[in-house]
Amino acid sequence: MTKQEICNKHPTIAYLGNFGRIEIKHIAYGIEDFIYLTVGSCRGNSSCHKLKIYYDNKHPYIKLYGTRYRLSNFLRV
């Protein structure tokens, strides 16, 4: 499945109010963990992304447009 199909198939798990709203749609666990999300859904021009989840000593995070976002900052739906 493509990332667009995965984002359209799954409901929103969590969101963050940056960039016109970042919505987490699906988390794929494996040897490397990935997160599928949409950006800009409240502006009407949303885009789907597949991002790797990075782990440091305390908090897991993702990198989007060069900025780190902790997963603990997202609000669960």
Side-chain angles (χ1 to χ4, degrees):
M1 292 177 67
T2 65
K3 59 185 175 182
Q4 183 74 32
E5 292 171 345
I6 292 172
C7 287
N8 290 337
K9 179 182 175 185
H10 291 88
T12 301
I13 299 171
Y15 70 93
L16 186 66
N18 295 358
F19 289 113
R21 194 166 172 128
I22 301 171
E23 296 182 359
I24 296 175
K25 297 292 188 172
H26 180 66
I27 300 173
Y29 296 103
I31 294 173
E32 292 185 346
D33 300 334
F34 290 97
I35 199 164
Y36 293 87
L37 53 86
T38 58
V39 178
S41 60
C42 71
R43 292 184 294 180
N45 57 346
S46 63
S47 59
C48 294
H49 300 270
K50 177 184 177 183
L51 302 174
K52 181 180 175 185
I53 300 174
Y54 296 95
Y55 297 94
D56 62 0
N57 293 337
K58 294 185 180 182
H59 302 284
Y61 64 92
I62 57 172
K63 292 181 185 177
L64 179 66
Y65 301 129
T67 306
R68 288 184 181 186
Y69 294 99
R70 286 185 182 173
L71 295 184
S72 61
N73 291 340
F74 284 80
L75 300 173
R76 289 190 60 102
V77 176

